[in-house]
Amino acid sequence: MRRKEFSMNEQAEVEQFLNEMTYGCLGTTGEDGWPHVTPVNYVYHQGKIYFHGSRNGQKMKHLKACKQVTFLIAKEYSLIPSYYTDPEMACPATAYFKSVLIKGTAELVEDSVEKAGALQAFMSKLQPEGGYRPITAEDPEYRPRIKGVAVLAIKIMEMSAKFKFGQNLHEEVRESIIISLNSRKRELDEETARLMRKYCPAHKDSGNDSTEA
């Protein structure tokens, strides 16, 4: 069930999530008319989504035919078993997650300065410890490499975010799940419990809309 109380309207929260994640799924339309989904590494830089690849790959063929794309970034946190809230019924079983869906147009970046800036942003994200010479358009060693790689930018036309962490639950039920997660201590359980409190509708900085869809 899709509900407005799971929507996230805080731009800073959404951008932080985009900067934390390293890959998303690119949706394109193939020449055969079928939708295609391709996982790609990306960087969110100066309000755009950048990714790179071969100039002659399948993605490029699709984008030449249709520049309109969708891009999905998602992360699953804890699985919530049904018995945390109901000893008999299976219905309450669920998973908590963050997701961002982007609609826009993807185009080749031809400007060498913009390309270098995007590639440097990739390196800052994927290799924050450094250990390489910064990428600049003026560097004679990088110049042919920058020219040879295809860098694409998604100009964002629409972006929506959904962060599901039990915002629709009554406080006592939510607290019961938090206690269970902190006791279970699987990977991401403590982080999920923290986010459940952060995005609780009662939290003044939650940034979500608790109105039913």
Side-chain angles (χ1 to χ4, degrees):
M1 182 179 294
R2 294 187 178 274
R3 300 172 183 261
K4 283 187 179 179
E5 65 257 32
F6 301 143
S7 67
M8 176 54 60
N9 300 316
E10 291 286 345
Q11 185 69 16
E13 289 280 346
V14 174
E15 291 187 354
Q16 179 180 339
F17 177 60
L18 292 177
N19 290 326
E20 287 173 356
M21 301 298 287
T22 58
Y23 79 95
C25 293
L26 175 71
T28 57
T29 303
E31 295 171 303
D32 55 5
W34 283 91
H36 291 252
V37 179
T38 308
V40 295
N41 289 115
Y42 78 94
V43 66
Y44 178 67
H45 179 60
Q46 296 184 345
K48 297 179 182 179
I49 295 290
Y50 289 91
F51 60 97
H52 59 81
S54 168
R55 290 183 177 273
N56 299 311
Q58 186 182 58
K59 294 190 296 294
M60 294 302 301
K61 293 179 181 178
H62 294 174
L63 294 173
K64 285 179 181 178
C66 180
K67 294 181 179 180
Q68 290 179 308
V69 299
T70 55
F71 195 71
L72 174 68
I73 307 99
K75 179 179 179 179
E76 184 178 77
Y77 285 79
S78 292
L79 299 178
I80 309 300
S82 61
Y83 53 77
Y84 274 10
T85 54
D86 193 307
E88 295 183 1
M89 301 298 290
C91 305
T94 189
Y96 290 162
F97 63 88
K98 292 182 180 181
S99 66
V100 174
L101 178 64
I102 291 169
K103 295 180 180 179
T105 55
E107 295 187 354
L108 270 174
V109 178
E110 300 292 357
D111 181 77
S112 61
V113 174
E114 184 180 356
K115 287 178 74 173
L119 294 171
Q120 176 58 41
F122 262 107
M123 290 301 298
S124 296
K125 181 177 185 177
L126 300 177
Q127 194 171 311
E129 71 275 16
Y132 63 92
R133 191 162 74 209
I135 301 173
T136 66
E138 297 78 21
D139 191 319
E141 293 293 326
Y142 279 127
R143 194 176 298 133
R145 293 170 171 81
I146 292 171
K147 184 178 180 181
V149 68
V151 174
L152 295 103
I154 298 177
K155 182 179 180 181
I156 298 172
M157 301 174 67
E158 181 182 328
M159 181 163 63
S160 59
K162 183 177 178 182
F163 290 10
K164 181 181 177 182
F165 289 94
Q167 295 97 317
N168 61 322
L169 300 176
H170 292 297
E171 184 176 355
E172 62 271 18
V173 176
R174 186 167 51 247
E175 284 299 318
S176 175
I177 294 175
I178 289 172
I179 291 170
S180 297
L181 289 173
N182 283 328
S183 297
R184 188 173 67 176
K185 294 186 182 300
R186 291 182 185 173
E187 185 181 8
L188 297 180
D189 278 354
E190 292 183 352
E191 175 69 2
T192 300
R194 185 187 68 80
L195 292 173
M196 288 179 71
R197 286 204 170 102
K198 180 176 182 179
Y199 300 128
C200 166
H203 196 291
K204 65 179 180 180
D205 296 323
S206 63
N208 63 70
D209 183 348
S210 59
T211 305
E212 290 286 343

